[in-house]
Amino acid sequence: MHLLIVDDHPLFRDALASAVGLAYPDATRHEADGIASACAVLATQPAIEIILLDLSMQGVTGFEGLLAIRAQAPRVPILVVSGLEDPRIIREALDHGAAGFVPKAVDKATLTRAIADVLAGGLSVPASLQNATPAPSSARKAPIAERVASLTPQQVRVLAMIRQGKLNKQIAHELQVGDSTVKAHVSEILRKLDVISRTQIVIETAFLDFDRILAAPEG
């Protein structure tokens, strides 16, 4: 297993690496002291299977770091390991795409169990919130495939280009339409997919087979 630990505190990063090493002695542990260095690691280490991420790091506001890493590696689950234990923050982290949340005060057994749950495709939250925490908002929405199906053929093309990281001007050039037309399409895509940013578009649609969607007959 390849695992990435992202935390700007060297002592805690070492402690977390040590705890993971005891539970998974054969794991390859990568470390990063910030979001930029984490993205650099992800760009060169495609084998990483799980990311342990601290939310509170220097230069990071709110969930910017979580969203940046999700955009860089949308298929890699992120387990937030944070000193913040406010239930609202935990719920928002899950809403922003985290696969789990572990307070930094937990013991090694709890951390190990959370990692195992996330690697198995589950959702890990503190025991005290398992009954009280509502499901992430994405679970209450219609499945993403249904939301994408509501797009027009042109909006699907724009969506595909957004997923490729293209800017509005690039999209307008390729589709041979005006910038205002592209902006209108992007606004409608955000509304129909029920997301608030281009980053969330990438995250929500990461697992869709766009080759098949684009090849589907119109109408």
Side-chain angles (χ1 to χ4, degrees):
M1 178 180 72
H2 285 250
L3 172 146
L4 172 60
I5 299 170
V6 187
D7 195 298
D8 63 354
H9 196 294
L11 288 178
F12 184 78
R13 201 165 60 243
D14 289 347
L16 194 54
S18 176
V20 170
L22 290 174
Y24 299 93
D26 295 328
T28 299
R29 301 183 298 278
H30 305 268
E31 298 183 17
D33 60 3
I35 301 304
S37 56
C39 289
V41 172
L42 290 167
T44 58
Q45 299 292 336
I48 287 175
E49 298 172 53
I50 185 172
I51 300 165
L52 307 188
L53 171 69
D54 183 19
L55 290 177
S56 302
M57 291 186 288
Q58 189 172 4
V60 178
T61 302
F63 296 96
E64 289 178 351
L66 174 59
L67 289 174
I69 290 179
R70 289 289 289 140
Q72 173 76 21
R75 290 180 173 81
V76 181
I78 299 174
L79 177 62
V80 173
V81 184
S82 175
L84 305 172
E85 299 185 41
D86 187 324
R88 292 172 299 178
I89 293 176
I90 296 175
R91 293 185 184 110
E92 285 191 49
L94 299 176
D95 283 348
H96 281 79
F101 194 105
V102 177
K104 283 188 173 181
V106 301
D107 55 29
K108 292 180 181 178
T110 302
L111 173 64
T112 301
R113 186 164 56 250
I115 292 174
D117 288 344
V118 170
L119 285 172
L123 181 71
S124 179
V125 296
S128 60
L129 293 175
Q130 286 178 358
N131 295 325
T133 303
S137 61
S138 58
R140 296 194 294 270
K141 300 174 183 175
I144 184 60
E146 290 184 15
R147 286 177 271 154
V148 169
S150 72
L151 301 177
T152 67
Q154 189 77 324
Q155 288 166 0
V156 170
R157 295 186 191 99
V158 173
L159 173 57
M161 294 181 190
I162 291 174
R163 282 163 44 92
Q164 295 168 5
K166 294 181 179 178
L167 303 176
N168 284 0
K169 287 187 176 181
Q170 294 172 301
I171 296 172
H173 176 73
E174 290 197 24
L175 295 180
Q176 296 185 333
V177 298
D179 288 355
S180 60
T181 299
V182 174
K183 288 180 181 178
H185 282 319
V186 172
S187 295
E188 272 299 284
I189 291 168
L190 292 170
R191 183 185 68 80
K192 289 182 177 180
L193 298 190
D194 195 11
V195 296
I196 62 174
S197 70
R198 297 167 83 101
T199 299
Q200 280 191 281
I201 287 175
V202 175
I203 292 171
E204 291 263 352
T205 63
F207 294 96
L208 295 182
D209 183 352
F210 255 72
D211 289 337
R212 180 184 60 79
I213 293 172
L214 290 170
E218 297 183 6

